[in-house]
Amino acid sequence: MGAATSASDERRPHFTFIWAIENGCSLTLGTILSSPVFTVKSMENTKWRLSLHSVLPYIFMYIYREEEDDGPEEIEIDYELSLLGADGLPLIKIADTHTFLRHQNRSILRFEENHDVFFRRRAEFLPRDVLTIRCRMWKKGTETPKPDACFARTRMGTDRHCFVWAIKDFSTLPLGHKTTRQLKSTSEGAPDLTLIFCLKQCDNKIYVCIDIDRGDVTKSFHVKGEISILDAEGAVVHSEKIKRYLDKRCSYLFINFFETQKLLSGKATLLPYDVLSLRCELEVFYGSLWSGIENCAELGSMINTDVKGRPVEESVESVTDSCPFRQNIRRFFEDGIFSDVALRADAETFLVHKIILSSRSPVFKAMFTNDMKEKTSECIDVHDVDAGTLRRLLLYIYMNEVQEMQWDKTADLFRAADKYELLELKKQCSAILKWNISRSNVCCILSLADMHHDEDLRKAVLDYISKNLDIFNSKIWKIFKRENSGLAMETMERIAYSVSDSNQIN
C-alpha cells in the first residue's frame, strides 16, 4: 500500500466507480456496508464491489473481486480510493497496486479517522449528509480508448424521535400493564416500530420497563438514545442511555428502568396529577434500505473532438479536478487580476470583479446595474460585515467553498449570506449552526433564526430546548427573556403545546 502518486493523477482511468451513501451519519455506529456489484468491461468483464467498515477509531476500505465473473484467474490493477467533497474533489485519497484472484479483497487500512469524517470535518465529508466514495482503476500494461464509469447509490435508513411520554393514572396501573406509542418512520422503506411501557416484577420488586415491538420486521437494527424521568418542574431526576443492536432475539430497551415504589414514595414531585413523564430521545438506524446502480456510461463517448476529428485530450476526473477556468477564477480571487471594483470592510480592501459578484448575488447585481451610488464607485464600504466575514463570503462567491470555523463566525457568515441573498450559502451555514447548538449559544442562535426567518434552524433550537428544559431556569435564558420577551414567550408556548400534544396522543 502506498500514497497516491502523481502518475495516478495524470493518467486517464480505465474505469471510475462513484458510490454515494445517503444518511451517511448512521455509519458512525460501526456499520459494515458493501456497494452494489459493478462490472468492468474494459478489464475483461471482471466484477467488483467496495466495502466500507466504520470501526472506531478509523474507517477501513476494502475492494473485492467477485468469485463469479468472466475474467481471468488473476488480474493486476492499479487503483485509487478517495472520499470526495461537495465540489467533486478528493478530500483524501490512497493508491495501490495489487494482483487480484477471484473472490479476493485488498484492504486500505486506516483510510481516515472516523472522528474527522463524521464530526470534526463533517461539513466537508458529508455535504447534505451524503458520503461519496470514488474508486478509479487501471489495468496494468494496457491502455483503453473508451474509459467507463459507473454511478451507484445506497440509502441508509435513519429516524430520530424526541418526545415527552405521559403515563397517566400511574399509581393505579396493575402489574403486567402495558402502554404503547407508535414510532412512525420518516425514512422511505423503513418500518414503523412500537415503544412499549410495562410494569414487570423482579426479585419481589416491581419495575418500570421499556420494550420495543418489531412487528413484522425481520432485519436487525441499531437503537441509541436516552430516556429520562422528569419531575413536576421538568427537571431530570433519573436517566439511562442506550446503545443496542436489536435482532429477533432481543426486543427490550430498558430492563428494570426504575422501581415503582420509589416513584410512589416521591409522588408529590415525581407523579404530579398521578402522571409519570418520560422524556424519550431515540435514534433508530435501519442500515441499508436501498442500494443499486443508477447509471453506467462509456466516458469515451463523452470526449469531444475538434473540427478536424482529432481527439481532444480530456481527463475523466471530476470536471472541477483540473479545470483551467476554476484555477483562473481562484487566481482572480487571490491576486485581484483584472478587478474593476474594491470592497472595503474595517481597514481591509478586497479587489473584486463586478461580473462575478453579479452572477452570484442579486444584491450585488442591483448595486452594479441600477442607479445606485455603488454603480460608479471604485471602492465600496461594506457595512455590518467585518473583514474576516467578507473574506469568507467572497471565497464562497468565487470558489463555492465554505471554510471550517467556530459557530460565532458561522453566524456572521449566515447573516451576510442572507443580506446578499446567497441562499445556498445560508443553508450551509444553517446546517453548521444546527450541529453546534449548545447551552451557551442556544439563545443567540434562536434570535438569529427568528431575525432571518429560518424556520428549520428555529425548529432545531426548539428541539434542543425540549431535550434540555432546565435551560428555562438558567441565567442566560432569564437575560434573554428580559431582552427578547416576545420571542421568549412564543418559544415557551410552542414547547408547551408540543408537550401537551404528546400528552393528548397518549
Side-chain angles (χ1 to χ4, degrees), residues 35 52 139 149 196 316 357 416 444:
S35 75
L52 181 147
K139 184 181 178 183
I196 304 172
V316 191
L357 270 59
C444 294

PDB file of all heavy atoms in Angstrom, residues 35 52 139 149 196 316 357 416 444:
ATOM      1  N   SER A  35     -20.990  -1.950  -1.367  1.00  0.00           N
ATOM      2  CA  SER A  35     -21.581  -1.277  -2.516  1.00  0.00           C
ATOM      3  C   SER A  35     -22.262  -2.298  -3.424  1.00  0.00           C
ATOM      4  O   SER A  35     -22.031  -3.510  -3.287  1.00  0.00           O
ATOM      5  CB  SER A  35     -20.483  -0.557  -3.307  1.00  0.00           C
ATOM      6  OG  SER A  35     -19.712  -1.491  -4.052  1.00  0.00           O
ATOM      7  N   LEU A  52     -17.126  -0.708   3.011  1.00  0.00           N
ATOM      8  CA  LEU A  52     -16.718   0.296   3.977  1.00  0.00           C
ATOM      9  C   LEU A  52     -16.982  -0.226   5.384  1.00  0.00           C
ATOM     10  O   LEU A  52     -18.089  -0.676   5.691  1.00  0.00           O
ATOM     11  CB  LEU A  52     -17.472   1.601   3.731  1.00  0.00           C
ATOM     12  CG  LEU A  52     -17.154   2.779   4.645  1.00  0.00           C
ATOM     13  CD1 LEU A  52     -17.273   4.093   3.885  1.00  0.00           C
ATOM     14  CD2 LEU A  52     -18.099   2.814   5.851  1.00  0.00           C
ATOM     15  N   LYS A 139      -5.905  -1.099 -15.573  1.00  0.00           N
ATOM     16  CA  LYS A 139      -5.343  -2.427 -15.778  1.00  0.00           C
ATOM     17  C   LYS A 139      -3.883  -2.276 -16.167  1.00  0.00           C
ATOM     18  O   LYS A 139      -3.542  -1.516 -17.076  1.00  0.00           O
ATOM     19  CB  LYS A 139      -6.101  -3.181 -16.868  1.00  0.00           C
ATOM     20  CG  LYS A 139      -5.609  -4.616 -17.054  1.00  0.00           C
ATOM     21  CD  LYS A 139      -6.374  -5.320 -18.147  1.00  0.00           C
ATOM     22  CE  LYS A 139      -5.816  -6.735 -18.349  1.00  0.00           C
ATOM     23  NZ  LYS A 139      -6.487  -7.439 -19.455  1.00  0.00           N
ATOM     24  N   ALA A 149     -17.477   4.451 -16.784  1.00  0.00           N
ATOM     25  CA  ALA A 149     -17.824   4.974 -15.459  1.00  0.00           C
ATOM     26  C   ALA A 149     -19.112   4.326 -14.996  1.00  0.00           C
ATOM     27  O   ALA A 149     -19.940   3.889 -15.802  1.00  0.00           O
ATOM     28  CB  ALA A 149     -17.986   6.485 -15.493  1.00  0.00           C
ATOM     29  N   ILE A 196     -43.004   0.224  24.003  1.00  0.00           N
ATOM     30  CA  ILE A 196     -43.912  -0.379  24.997  1.00  0.00           C
ATOM     31  C   ILE A 196     -43.454  -0.013  26.412  1.00  0.00           C
ATOM     32  O   ILE A 196     -42.322  -0.302  26.799  1.00  0.00           O
ATOM     33  CB  ILE A 196     -43.957  -1.913  24.857  1.00  0.00           C
ATOM     34  CG1 ILE A 196     -44.365  -2.316  23.433  1.00  0.00           C
ATOM     35  CG2 ILE A 196     -44.901  -2.522  25.881  1.00  0.00           C
ATOM     36  CD1 ILE A 196     -44.235  -3.806  23.173  1.00  0.00           C
ATOM     37  N   VAL A 316     -10.891  12.120 -17.337  1.00  0.00           N
ATOM     38  CA  VAL A 316     -12.159  11.561 -16.901  1.00  0.00           C
ATOM     39  C   VAL A 316     -12.377  11.825 -15.416  1.00  0.00           C
ATOM     40  O   VAL A 316     -13.252  11.296 -14.781  1.00  0.00           O
ATOM     41  CB  VAL A 316     -12.191  10.041 -17.194  1.00  0.00           C
ATOM     42  CG1 VAL A 316     -13.579   9.480 -17.008  1.00  0.00           C
ATOM     43  CG2 VAL A 316     -11.729   9.786 -18.619  1.00  0.00           C
ATOM     44  N   LEU A 357     -19.410  38.864  -8.995  1.00  0.00           N
ATOM     45  CA  LEU A 357     -20.307  39.133  -7.869  1.00  0.00           C
ATOM     46  C   LEU A 357     -21.760  39.211  -8.327  1.00  0.00           C
ATOM     47  O   LEU A 357     -22.664  38.708  -7.661  1.00  0.00           O
ATOM     48  CB  LEU A 357     -19.901  40.421  -7.161  1.00  0.00           C
ATOM     49  CG  LEU A 357     -18.887  40.276  -6.000  1.00  0.00           C
ATOM     50  CD1 LEU A 357     -17.592  39.640  -6.478  1.00  0.00           C
ATOM     51  CD2 LEU A 357     -18.617  41.626  -5.343  1.00  0.00           C
ATOM     52  N   ALA A 416     -24.475  37.504   6.597  1.00  0.00           N
ATOM     53  CA  ALA A 416     -24.007  38.084   5.339  1.00  0.00           C
ATOM     54  C   ALA A 416     -24.643  37.371   4.144  1.00  0.00           C
ATOM     55  O   ALA A 416     -25.022  38.017   3.156  1.00  0.00           O
ATOM     56  CB  ALA A 416     -22.479  38.004   5.253  1.00  0.00           C
ATOM     57  N   CYS A 444     -28.665  32.857  21.390  1.00  0.00           N
ATOM     58  CA  CYS A 444     -28.160  33.630  20.250  1.00  0.00           C
ATOM     59  C   CYS A 444     -28.635  33.028  18.930  1.00  0.00           C
ATOM     60  O   CYS A 444     -29.052  33.750  18.014  1.00  0.00           O
ATOM     61  CB  CYS A 444     -26.629  33.676  20.275  1.00  0.00           C
ATOM     62  SG  CYS A 444     -25.941  34.586  21.662  1.00  0.00           S
TER      63      CYS A 444
END
